[in-house]
Amino acid sequence: FVTNTIDDFRTIRGAAGGAHIVAVDFGMKTNILRSWVDAGCKVTVVPAKTSASEILKLAPNGVFLSNGPGDPAAVEYAIKTVRELLGKTPIFGICLGHQLLALAAGAPTYKLKFGHRGLNQPVKNLATGRVEITSQNHGFVVDMAKLPKHVKTTHIHLNDGSSEGLEIPEALAFSVQFHPEPAAGPHDTLRLFQRFATEVKASAA
């Protein structure tokens, strides 16, 4: 990657003319950045406590909420930021980012008795009916029984029926609980990066 340090921000330049994604780093893996570059995007990485106004000043085509550790309900500053971004820019989140999007939209989270760890985690895509093999590492999940009406469930875990994906159509926001970037399938879920890149370019046209 070619990176330019500007204050606390890092810009990773992908293909010329690609979508500009601002990635909020809550503990992001390097392969996520590779996946964005492979999708033809330019990525600006910002620290976890970057405010919504600072993010919007970067003029992103879309915002990515990364993975990270711990109880999502405790990350109050991030929930506030995501709530302020909803409806102002497209959003895509994974793992912790999925949980933060749900909390910002008004859905609670809870701790699993046994977390989801490792490869070969079966997830059903409710739109296609396909089962996707995923990689996961989390101990908290979104409470699907308490989703607001404007939030749709898109994926479920086939072992315990827990939340694995959601969408807020009017806000151009979606998220998944699993990690697409390890490509456990090996290519079942990598397409999510390209999907977001395509959607944000279309919404900006």
Side-chain angles (χ1 to χ4, degrees), residues 152-199:
K152 296 170 50 181
T153 292
T154 59
H155 297 72
I156 59 170
H157 198 295
L158 288 181
N159 287 345
D160 61 10
S162 61
S163 173
E164 287 290 339
L166 61 82
E167 184 175 14
I168 309 173
E170 63 266 35
L172 296 178
F174 71 93
S175 60
V176 292
Q177 180 62 72
F178 52 86
H179 283 262
E181 80 285 351
H187 304 298
D188 287 12
T189 57
L190 272 173
R191 57 180 169 72
L192 291 171
F193 294 99
Q194 187 60 61
R195 169 190 165 183
F196 190 63
T198 300
E199 287 182 358

mmCIF file of all heavy atoms in Angstrom, residues 152-199:
data_model
loop_
_atom_site.group_PDB
_atom_site.id
_atom_site.type_symbol
_atom_site.label_atom_id
_atom_site.label_comp_id
_atom_site.label_asym_id
_atom_site.label_seq_id
_atom_site.Cartn_x
_atom_site.Cartn_y
_atom_site.Cartn_z
ATOM 1 N N LYS A 152 -33.935 -4.350 8.775
ATOM 2 C CA LYS A 152 -34.253 -5.681 8.262
ATOM 3 C C LYS A 152 -33.126 -6.671 8.572
ATOM 4 O O LYS A 152 -31.951 -6.340 8.426
ATOM 5 C CB LYS A 152 -34.442 -5.632 6.740
ATOM 6 C CG LYS A 152 -35.600 -4.803 6.264
ATOM 7 C CD LYS A 152 -35.563 -4.628 4.754
ATOM 8 C CE LYS A 152 -35.385 -5.949 4.016
ATOM 9 N NZ LYS A 152 -35.334 -5.752 2.539
ATOM 10 N N THR A 153 -33.478 -7.877 8.977
ATOM 11 C CA THR A 153 -32.503 -8.955 9.116
ATOM 12 C C THR A 153 -32.198 -9.527 7.740
ATOM 13 O O THR A 153 -33.114 -9.834 6.969
ATOM 14 C CB THR A 153 -33.032 -10.069 10.030
ATOM 15 O OG1 THR A 153 -33.132 -9.569 11.369
ATOM 16 C CG2 THR A 153 -32.109 -11.284 10.022
ATOM 17 N N THR A 154 -30.913 -9.693 7.415
ATOM 18 C CA THR A 154 -30.516 -10.207 6.102
ATOM 19 C C THR A 154 -29.810 -11.551 6.175
ATOM 20 O O THR A 154 -29.807 -12.308 5.203
ATOM 21 C CB THR A 154 -29.583 -9.213 5.391
ATOM 22 O OG1 THR A 154 -28.415 -8.991 6.207
ATOM 23 C CG2 THR A 154 -30.295 -7.891 5.134
ATOM 24 N N HIS A 155 -29.184 -11.862 7.320
ATOM 25 C CA HIS A 155 -28.435 -13.113 7.480
ATOM 26 C C HIS A 155 -28.674 -13.663 8.885
ATOM 27 O O HIS A 155 -28.790 -12.890 9.844
ATOM 28 C CB HIS A 155 -26.928 -12.888 7.317
ATOM 29 C CG HIS A 155 -26.500 -12.398 5.972
ATOM 30 N ND1 HIS A 155 -26.743 -11.105 5.539
ATOM 31 C CD2 HIS A 155 -25.822 -13.021 4.964
ATOM 32 C CE1 HIS A 155 -26.239 -10.954 4.322
ATOM 33 N NE2 HIS A 155 -25.675 -12.093 3.962
ATOM 34 N N ILE A 156 -28.698 -15.003 9.004
ATOM 35 C CA ILE A 156 -28.803 -15.629 10.319
ATOM 36 C C ILE A 156 -27.770 -16.756 10.439
ATOM 37 O O ILE A 156 -27.392 -17.369 9.441
ATOM 38 C CB ILE A 156 -30.210 -16.188 10.597
ATOM 39 C CG1 ILE A 156 -30.608 -17.228 9.548
ATOM 40 C CG2 ILE A 156 -31.235 -15.071 10.690
ATOM 41 C CD1 ILE A 156 -31.877 -17.985 9.892
ATOM 42 N N HIS A 157 -27.341 -16.999 11.674
ATOM 43 C CA HIS A 157 -26.412 -18.096 11.956
ATOM 44 C C HIS A 157 -27.224 -19.383 12.055
ATOM 45 O O HIS A 157 -28.198 -19.463 12.818
ATOM 46 C CB HIS A 157 -25.672 -17.817 13.268
ATOM 47 C CG HIS A 157 -24.421 -18.614 13.433
ATOM 48 N ND1 HIS A 157 -24.429 -19.988 13.552
ATOM 49 C CD2 HIS A 157 -23.109 -18.229 13.502
ATOM 50 C CE1 HIS A 157 -23.182 -20.416 13.694
ATOM 51 N NE2 HIS A 157 -22.362 -19.376 13.660
ATOM 52 N N LEU A 158 -26.835 -20.398 11.305
ATOM 53 C CA LEU A 158 -27.623 -21.622 11.258
ATOM 54 C C LEU A 158 -27.456 -22.511 12.486
ATOM 55 O O LEU A 158 -28.269 -23.395 12.721
ATOM 56 C CB LEU A 158 -27.284 -22.418 9.988
ATOM 57 C CG LEU A 158 -27.813 -21.802 8.690
ATOM 58 C CD1 LEU A 158 -27.454 -22.681 7.497
ATOM 59 C CD2 LEU A 158 -29.321 -21.609 8.747
ATOM 60 N N ASN A 159 -26.430 -22.277 13.272
ATOM 61 C CA ASN A 159 -26.254 -23.097 14.486
ATOM 62 C C ASN A 159 -27.167 -22.651 15.623
ATOM 63 O O ASN A 159 -27.666 -23.475 16.388
ATOM 64 C CB ASN A 159 -24.804 -23.069 14.958
ATOM 65 C CG ASN A 159 -23.891 -23.879 14.057
ATOM 66 O OD1 ASN A 159 -24.352 -24.675 13.244
ATOM 67 N ND2 ASN A 159 -22.591 -23.651 14.177
ATOM 68 N N ASP A 160 -27.368 -21.337 15.761
ATOM 69 C CA ASP A 160 -28.175 -20.861 16.894
ATOM 70 C C ASP A 160 -29.230 -19.831 16.508
ATOM 71 O O ASP A 160 -29.938 -19.313 17.383
ATOM 72 C CB ASP A 160 -27.273 -20.301 18.001
ATOM 73 C CG ASP A 160 -26.434 -19.113 17.549
ATOM 74 O OD1 ASP A 160 -26.667 -18.592 16.440
ATOM 75 O OD2 ASP A 160 -25.532 -18.707 18.309
ATOM 76 N N GLY A 161 -29.345 -19.498 15.218
ATOM 77 C CA GLY A 161 -30.374 -18.565 14.769
ATOM 78 C C GLY A 161 -30.119 -17.116 15.112
ATOM 79 O O GLY A 161 -31.027 -16.278 15.005
ATOM 80 N N SER A 162 -28.897 -16.773 15.514
ATOM 81 C CA SER A 162 -28.596 -15.403 15.922
ATOM 82 C C SER A 162 -28.333 -14.499 14.717
ATOM 83 O O SER A 162 -28.145 -14.953 13.590
ATOM 84 C CB SER A 162 -27.400 -15.380 16.875
ATOM 85 O OG SER A 162 -26.241 -15.895 16.251
ATOM 86 N N SER A 163 -28.296 -13.210 14.984
ATOM 87 C CA SER A 163 -28.141 -12.199 13.933
ATOM 88 C C SER A 163 -26.768 -12.262 13.277
ATOM 89 O O SER A 163 -25.743 -12.284 13.957
ATOM 90 C CB SER A 163 -28.337 -10.803 14.533
ATOM 91 O OG SER A 163 -28.027 -9.800 13.583
ATOM 92 N N GLU A 164 -26.774 -12.280 11.952
ATOM 93 C CA GLU A 164 -25.514 -12.259 11.192
ATOM 94 C C GLU A 164 -25.499 -11.166 10.127
ATOM 95 O O GLU A 164 -24.517 -11.019 9.410
ATOM 96 C CB GLU A 164 -25.273 -13.615 10.533
ATOM 97 C CG GLU A 164 -24.872 -14.713 11.502
ATOM 98 C CD GLU A 164 -23.482 -14.540 12.079
ATOM 99 O OE1 GLU A 164 -22.663 -13.818 11.465
ATOM 100 O OE2 GLU A 164 -23.199 -15.120 13.139
ATOM 101 N N GLY A 165 -26.583 -10.411 10.018
ATOM 102 C CA GLY A 165 -26.585 -9.334 9.040
ATOM 103 C C GLY A 165 -27.856 -8.520 9.136
ATOM 104 O O GLY A 165 -28.919 -9.039 9.505
ATOM 105 N N LEU A 166 -27.756 -7.234 8.831
ATOM 106 C CA LEU A 166 -28.930 -6.371 8.825
ATOM 107 C C LEU A 166 -28.781 -5.307 7.749
ATOM 108 O O LEU A 166 -27.699 -5.082 7.208
ATOM 109 C CB LEU A 166 -29.173 -5.740 10.199
ATOM 110 C CG LEU A 166 -28.103 -4.827 10.811
ATOM 111 C CD1 LEU A 166 -28.184 -3.397 10.272
ATOM 112 C CD2 LEU A 166 -28.245 -4.807 12.328
ATOM 113 N N GLU A 167 -29.898 -4.650 7.462
ATOM 114 C CA GLU A 167 -29.924 -3.612 6.434
ATOM 115 C C GLU A 167 -30.910 -2.529 6.841
ATOM 116 O O GLU A 167 -31.967 -2.817 7.409
ATOM 117 C CB GLU A 167 -30.329 -4.220 5.094
ATOM 118 C CG GLU A 167 -30.293 -3.256 3.931
ATOM 119 C CD GLU A 167 -30.579 -3.935 2.600
ATOM 120 O OE1 GLU A 167 -31.062 -5.087 2.613
ATOM 121 O OE2 GLU A 167 -30.325 -3.311 1.557
ATOM 122 N N ILE A 168 -30.532 -1.283 6.560
ATOM 123 C CA ILE A 168 -31.423 -0.137 6.759
ATOM 124 C C ILE A 168 -31.551 0.524 5.384
ATOM 125 O O ILE A 168 -30.760 1.404 5.025
ATOM 126 C CB ILE A 168 -30.859 0.849 7.798
ATOM 127 C CG1 ILE A 168 -30.479 0.101 9.085
ATOM 128 C CG2 ILE A 168 -31.876 1.949 8.104
ATOM 129 C CD1 ILE A 168 -29.757 0.961 10.111
ATOM 130 N N PRO A 169 -32.511 0.093 4.572
ATOM 131 C CA PRO A 169 -32.560 0.514 3.164
ATOM 132 C C PRO A 169 -32.615 2.019 2.953
ATOM 133 O O PRO A 169 -31.910 2.557 2.083
ATOM 134 C CB PRO A 169 -33.837 -0.170 2.648
ATOM 135 C CG PRO A 169 -34.018 -1.353 3.534
ATOM 136 C CD PRO A 169 -33.557 -0.892 4.887
ATOM 137 N N GLU A 170 -33.439 2.727 3.736
ATOM 138 C CA GLU A 170 -33.591 4.165 3.492
ATOM 139 C C GLU A 170 -32.330 4.951 3.845
ATOM 140 O O GLU A 170 -32.156 6.088 3.394
ATOM 141 C CB GLU A 170 -34.783 4.729 4.270
ATOM 142 C CG GLU A 170 -34.674 4.632 5.780
ATOM 143 C CD GLU A 170 -35.328 3.389 6.344
ATOM 144 O OE1 GLU A 170 -35.294 2.332 5.693
ATOM 145 O OE2 GLU A 170 -35.887 3.495 7.452
ATOM 146 N N ALA A 171 -31.438 4.354 4.633
ATOM 147 C CA ALA A 171 -30.183 5.015 5.004
ATOM 148 C C ALA A 171 -29.004 4.499 4.191
ATOM 149 O O ALA A 171 -27.868 4.929 4.417
ATOM 150 C CB ALA A 171 -29.901 4.818 6.489
ATOM 151 N N LEU A 172 -29.259 3.591 3.240
ATOM 152 C CA LEU A 172 -28.189 2.970 2.451
ATOM 153 C C LEU A 172 -27.114 2.400 3.371
ATOM 154 O O LEU A 172 -25.918 2.650 3.204
ATOM 155 C CB LEU A 172 -27.571 3.980 1.472
ATOM 156 C CG LEU A 172 -28.498 4.526 0.381
ATOM 157 C CD1 LEU A 172 -27.766 5.548 -0.483
ATOM 158 C CD2 LEU A 172 -29.034 3.397 -0.482
ATOM 159 N N ALA A 173 -27.560 1.635 4.363
ATOM 160 C CA ALA A 173 -26.637 1.058 5.346
ATOM 161 C C ALA A 173 -26.904 -0.433 5.487
ATOM 162 O O ALA A 173 -28.058 -0.868 5.499
ATOM 163 C CB ALA A 173 -26.811 1.743 6.702
ATOM 164 N N PHE A 174 -25.821 -1.201 5.572
ATOM 165 C CA PHE A 174 -25.956 -2.629 5.844
ATOM 166 C C PHE A 174 -24.722 -3.119 6.580
ATOM 167 O O PHE A 174 -23.682 -2.443 6.617
ATOM 168 C CB PHE A 174 -26.192 -3.436 4.556
ATOM 169 C CG PHE A 174 -25.005 -3.553 3.639
ATOM 170 C CD1 PHE A 174 -24.141 -4.642 3.715
ATOM 171 C CD2 PHE A 174 -24.751 -2.582 2.679
ATOM 172 C CE1 PHE A 174 -23.059 -4.765 2.862
ATOM 173 C CE2 PHE A 174 -23.668 -2.685 1.822
ATOM 174 C CZ PHE A 174 -22.824 -3.784 1.910
ATOM 175 N N SER A 175 -24.837 -4.306 7.173
ATOM 176 C CA SER A 175 -23.718 -4.835 7.965
ATOM 177 C C SER A 175 -23.837 -6.334 8.096
ATOM 178 O O SER A 175 -24.914 -6.914 7.916
ATOM 179 C CB SER A 175 -23.688 -4.185 9.354
ATOM 180 O OG SER A 175 -24.897 -4.457 10.049
ATOM 181 N N VAL A 176 -22.711 -6.968 8.427
ATOM 182 C CA VAL A 176 -22.677 -8.402 8.696
ATOM 183 C C VAL A 176 -21.862 -8.652 9.955
ATOM 184 O O VAL A 176 -20.913 -7.919 10.253
ATOM 185 C CB VAL A 176 -22.088 -9.208 7.517
ATOM 186 C CG1 VAL A 176 -23.025 -9.162 6.314
ATOM 187 C CG2 VAL A 176 -20.700 -8.744 7.137
ATOM 188 N N GLN A 177 -22.238 -9.693 10.688
ATOM 189 C CA GLN A 177 -21.544 -10.037 11.923
ATOM 190 C C GLN A 177 -20.235 -10.767 11.656
ATOM 191 O O GLN A 177 -19.273 -10.650 12.415
ATOM 192 C CB GLN A 177 -22.451 -10.906 12.795
ATOM 193 C CG GLN A 177 -21.851 -11.334 14.113
ATOM 194 C CD GLN A 177 -21.529 -10.159 15.013
ATOM 195 O OE1 GLN A 177 -22.407 -9.518 15.555
ATOM 196 N NE2 GLN A 177 -20.241 -9.866 15.176
ATOM 197 N N PHE A 178 -20.186 -11.508 10.572
ATOM 198 C CA PHE A 178 -19.001 -12.308 10.263
ATOM 199 C C PHE A 178 -17.923 -11.464 9.583
ATOM 200 O O PHE A 178 -18.138 -10.286 9.257
ATOM 201 C CB PHE A 178 -19.380 -13.503 9.377
ATOM 202 C CG PHE A 178 -20.164 -13.134 8.148
ATOM 203 C CD1 PHE A 178 -19.535 -12.743 6.979
ATOM 204 C CD2 PHE A 178 -21.552 -13.178 8.158
ATOM 205 C CE1 PHE A 178 -20.251 -12.399 5.853
ATOM 206 C CE2 PHE A 178 -22.292 -12.848 7.029
ATOM 207 C CZ PHE A 178 -21.637 -12.463 5.871
ATOM 208 N N HIS A 179 -16.757 -12.096 9.347
ATOM 209 C CA HIS A 179 -15.642 -11.423 8.688
ATOM 210 C C HIS A 179 -15.566 -11.853 7.228
ATOM 211 O O HIS A 179 -15.260 -13.011 6.950
ATOM 212 C CB HIS A 179 -14.324 -11.783 9.381
ATOM 213 C CG HIS A 179 -14.102 -11.053 10.662
ATOM 214 N ND1 HIS A 179 -13.328 -9.917 10.750
ATOM 215 C CD2 HIS A 179 -14.571 -11.282 11.920
ATOM 216 C CE1 HIS A 179 -13.317 -9.482 12.001
ATOM 217 N NE2 HIS A 179 -14.067 -10.290 12.728
ATOM 218 N N PRO A 180 -15.817 -10.945 6.280
ATOM 219 C CA PRO A 180 -15.682 -11.327 4.865
ATOM 220 C C PRO A 180 -14.232 -11.487 4.413
ATOM 221 O O PRO A 180 -13.936 -12.295 3.532
ATOM 222 C CB PRO A 180 -16.332 -10.157 4.115
ATOM 223 C CG PRO A 180 -17.072 -9.375 5.132
ATOM 224 C CD PRO A 180 -16.372 -9.612 6.437
ATOM 225 N N GLU A 181 -13.322 -10.729 5.034
ATOM 226 C CA GLU A 181 -11.958 -10.634 4.500
ATOM 227 C C GLU A 181 -11.114 -11.904 4.624
ATOM 228 O O GLU A 181 -10.191 -12.094 3.818
ATOM 229 C CB GLU A 181 -11.222 -9.438 5.117
ATOM 230 C CG GLU A 181 -10.651 -9.619 6.499
ATOM 231 C CD GLU A 181 -11.704 -9.586 7.605
ATOM 232 O OE1 GLU A 181 -12.876 -9.254 7.312
ATOM 233 O OE2 GLU A 181 -11.351 -9.887 8.760
ATOM 234 N N PRO A 182 -11.365 -12.841 5.571
ATOM 235 C CA PRO A 182 -10.577 -14.074 5.571
ATOM 236 C C PRO A 182 -10.949 -15.030 4.447
ATOM 237 O O PRO A 182 -10.227 -15.996 4.193
ATOM 238 C CB PRO A 182 -10.891 -14.709 6.935
ATOM 239 C CG PRO A 182 -11.406 -13.611 7.768
ATOM 240 C CD PRO A 182 -12.137 -12.722 6.817
ATOM 241 N N ALA A 183 -12.102 -14.770 3.788
ATOM 242 C CA ALA A 183 -12.539 -15.588 2.645
ATOM 243 C C ALA A 183 -12.565 -17.068 2.996
ATOM 244 O O ALA A 183 -11.972 -17.890 2.314
ATOM 245 C CB ALA A 183 -11.645 -15.323 1.433
ATOM 246 N N ALA A 184 -13.297 -17.393 4.039
ATOM 247 C CA ALA A 184 -13.312 -18.776 4.520
ATOM 248 C C ALA A 184 -13.960 -19.737 3.548
ATOM 249 O O ALA A 184 -13.740 -20.942 3.625
ATOM 250 C CB ALA A 184 -14.046 -18.835 5.861
ATOM 251 N N GLY A 185 -14.744 -19.207 2.625
ATOM 252 C CA GLY A 185 -15.538 -20.025 1.711
ATOM 253 C C GLY A 185 -14.903 -20.739 0.542
ATOM 254 O O GLY A 185 -15.362 -21.777 0.176
ATOM 255 N N PRO A 186 -13.834 -20.248 -0.173
ATOM 256 C CA PRO A 186 -12.984 -19.101 0.145
ATOM 257 C C PRO A 186 -13.489 -17.756 -0.388
ATOM 258 O O PRO A 186 -12.974 -16.717 -0.015
ATOM 259 C CB PRO A 186 -11.672 -19.452 -0.537
ATOM 260 C CG PRO A 186 -12.090 -20.242 -1.732
ATOM 261 C CD PRO A 186 -13.301 -21.031 -1.307
ATOM 262 N N HIS A 187 -14.507 -17.751 -1.280
ATOM 263 C CA HIS A 187 -14.917 -16.486 -1.897
ATOM 264 C C HIS A 187 -16.381 -16.155 -1.636
ATOM 265 O O HIS A 187 -16.943 -15.289 -2.290
ATOM 266 C CB HIS A 187 -14.664 -16.535 -3.410
ATOM 267 C CG HIS A 187 -13.247 -16.845 -3.771
ATOM 268 N ND1 HIS A 187 -12.196 -16.020 -3.422
ATOM 269 C CD2 HIS A 187 -12.700 -17.895 -4.419
ATOM 270 C CE1 HIS A 187 -11.060 -16.548 -3.861
ATOM 271 N NE2 HIS A 187 -11.339 -17.687 -4.457
ATOM 272 N N ASP A 188 -16.991 -16.841 -0.679
ATOM 273 C CA ASP A 188 -18.419 -16.652 -0.437
ATOM 274 C C ASP A 188 -18.789 -15.205 -0.126
ATOM 275 O O ASP A 188 -19.823 -14.718 -0.570
ATOM 276 C CB ASP A 188 -18.869 -17.513 0.754
ATOM 277 C CG ASP A 188 -18.938 -18.996 0.407
ATOM 278 O OD1 ASP A 188 -18.423 -19.357 -0.661
ATOM 279 O OD2 ASP A 188 -19.484 -19.757 1.201
ATOM 280 N N THR A 189 -17.975 -14.525 0.669
ATOM 281 C CA THR A 189 -18.398 -13.235 1.195
ATOM 282 C C THR A 189 -17.501 -12.057 0.813
ATOM 283 O O THR A 189 -17.819 -10.920 1.164
ATOM 284 C CB THR A 189 -18.496 -13.312 2.731
ATOM 285 O OG1 THR A 189 -17.232 -13.728 3.276
ATOM 286 C CG2 THR A 189 -19.561 -14.310 3.155
ATOM 287 N N LEU A 190 -16.413 -12.295 0.096
ATOM 288 C CA LEU A 190 -15.556 -11.187 -0.342
ATOM 289 C C LEU A 190 -16.316 -10.190 -1.209
ATOM 290 O O LEU A 190 -15.970 -9.011 -1.260
ATOM 291 C CB LEU A 190 -14.349 -11.724 -1.125
ATOM 292 C CG LEU A 190 -13.104 -12.093 -0.313
ATOM 293 C CD1 LEU A 190 -12.078 -12.767 -1.207
ATOM 294 C CD2 LEU A 190 -12.504 -10.861 0.353
ATOM 295 N N ARG A 191 -17.363 -10.660 -1.886
ATOM 296 C CA ARG A 191 -18.136 -9.799 -2.779
ATOM 297 C C ARG A 191 -18.772 -8.621 -2.046
ATOM 298 O O ARG A 191 -19.187 -7.643 -2.671
ATOM 299 C CB ARG A 191 -19.253 -10.617 -3.435
ATOM 300 C CG ARG A 191 -20.150 -11.258 -2.420
ATOM 301 C CD ARG A 191 -21.283 -12.082 -2.974
ATOM 302 N NE ARG A 191 -21.908 -12.841 -1.909
ATOM 303 C CZ ARG A 191 -22.667 -12.304 -0.965
ATOM 304 N NH1 ARG A 191 -22.898 -11.001 -0.964
ATOM 305 N NH2 ARG A 191 -23.198 -13.064 -0.025
ATOM 306 N N LEU A 192 -18.871 -8.676 -0.709
ATOM 307 C CA LEU A 192 -19.502 -7.588 0.027
ATOM 308 C C LEU A 192 -18.744 -6.281 -0.130
ATOM 309 O O LEU A 192 -19.351 -5.209 -0.150
ATOM 310 C CB LEU A 192 -19.628 -7.966 1.503
ATOM 311 C CG LEU A 192 -20.628 -9.076 1.814
ATOM 312 C CD1 LEU A 192 -20.503 -9.522 3.260
ATOM 313 C CD2 LEU A 192 -22.052 -8.636 1.521
ATOM 314 N N PHE A 193 -17.426 -6.332 -0.217
ATOM 315 C CA PHE A 193 -16.642 -5.117 -0.432
ATOM 316 C C PHE A 193 -16.975 -4.500 -1.793
ATOM 317 O O PHE A 193 -17.176 -3.293 -1.919
ATOM 318 C CB PHE A 193 -15.141 -5.419 -0.337
ATOM 319 C CG PHE A 193 -14.701 -5.841 1.038
ATOM 320 C CD1 PHE A 193 -14.526 -7.175 1.347
ATOM 321 C CD2 PHE A 193 -14.460 -4.896 2.026
ATOM 322 C CE1 PHE A 193 -14.122 -7.574 2.609
ATOM 323 C CE2 PHE A 193 -14.058 -5.278 3.303
ATOM 324 C CZ PHE A 193 -13.895 -6.632 3.589
ATOM 325 N N GLN A 194 -17.035 -5.358 -2.820
ATOM 326 C CA GLN A 194 -17.364 -4.869 -4.153
ATOM 327 C C GLN A 194 -18.801 -4.362 -4.211
ATOM 328 O O GLN A 194 -19.096 -3.359 -4.875
ATOM 329 C CB GLN A 194 -17.165 -5.977 -5.196
ATOM 330 C CG GLN A 194 -17.328 -5.496 -6.635
ATOM 331 C CD GLN A 194 -16.333 -4.404 -6.999
ATOM 332 O OE1 GLN A 194 -15.126 -4.623 -6.961
ATOM 333 N NE2 GLN A 194 -16.832 -3.214 -7.324
ATOM 334 N N ARG A 195 -19.697 -5.043 -3.508
ATOM 335 C CA ARG A 195 -21.100 -4.589 -3.482
ATOM 336 C C ARG A 195 -21.179 -3.167 -2.946
ATOM 337 O O ARG A 195 -21.861 -2.306 -3.533
ATOM 338 C CB ARG A 195 -21.940 -5.526 -2.605
ATOM 339 C CG ARG A 195 -23.339 -4.974 -2.322
ATOM 340 C CD ARG A 195 -24.085 -5.770 -1.258
ATOM 341 N NE ARG A 195 -25.232 -5.025 -0.780
ATOM 342 C CZ ARG A 195 -26.050 -5.424 0.193
ATOM 343 N NH1 ARG A 195 -25.838 -6.585 0.794
ATOM 344 N NH2 ARG A 195 -27.072 -4.671 0.571
ATOM 345 N N PHE A 196 -20.514 -2.902 -1.812
ATOM 346 C CA PHE A 196 -20.584 -1.569 -1.221
ATOM 347 C C PHE A 196 -19.938 -0.541 -2.139
ATOM 348 O O PHE A 196 -20.492 0.563 -2.326
ATOM 349 C CB PHE A 196 -19.900 -1.567 0.143
ATOM 350 C CG PHE A 196 -20.124 -0.303 0.929
ATOM 351 C CD1 PHE A 196 -21.392 0.071 1.331
ATOM 352 C CD2 PHE A 196 -19.055 0.510 1.283
ATOM 353 C CE1 PHE A 196 -21.608 1.236 2.069
ATOM 354 C CE2 PHE A 196 -19.256 1.678 2.018
ATOM 355 C CZ PHE A 196 -20.530 2.041 2.404
ATOM 356 N N ALA A 197 -18.793 -0.874 -2.718
ATOM 357 C CA ALA A 197 -18.118 0.039 -3.632
ATOM 358 C C ALA A 197 -19.025 0.404 -4.804
ATOM 359 O O ALA A 197 -19.118 1.574 -5.213
ATOM 360 C CB ALA A 197 -16.816 -0.566 -4.138
ATOM 361 N N THR A 198 -19.718 -0.585 -5.352
ATOM 362 C CA THR A 198 -20.611 -0.344 -6.481
ATOM 363 C C THR A 198 -21.810 0.502 -6.067
ATOM 364 O O THR A 198 -22.211 1.436 -6.775
ATOM 365 C CB THR A 198 -21.094 -1.686 -7.063
ATOM 366 O OG1 THR A 198 -19.964 -2.435 -7.491
ATOM 367 C CG2 THR A 198 -22.035 -1.469 -8.241
ATOM 368 N N GLU A 199 -22.381 0.198 -4.917
ATOM 369 C CA GLU A 199 -23.572 0.919 -4.462
ATOM 370 C C GLU A 199 -23.267 2.388 -4.147
ATOM 371 O O GLU A 199 -24.068 3.264 -4.471
ATOM 372 C CB GLU A 199 -24.160 0.225 -3.236
ATOM 373 C CG GLU A 199 -24.848 -1.088 -3.560
ATOM 374 C CD GLU A 199 -25.472 -1.749 -2.342
ATOM 375 O OE1 GLU A 199 -25.337 -1.191 -1.225
ATOM 376 O OE2 GLU A 199 -26.092 -2.826 -2.503
#
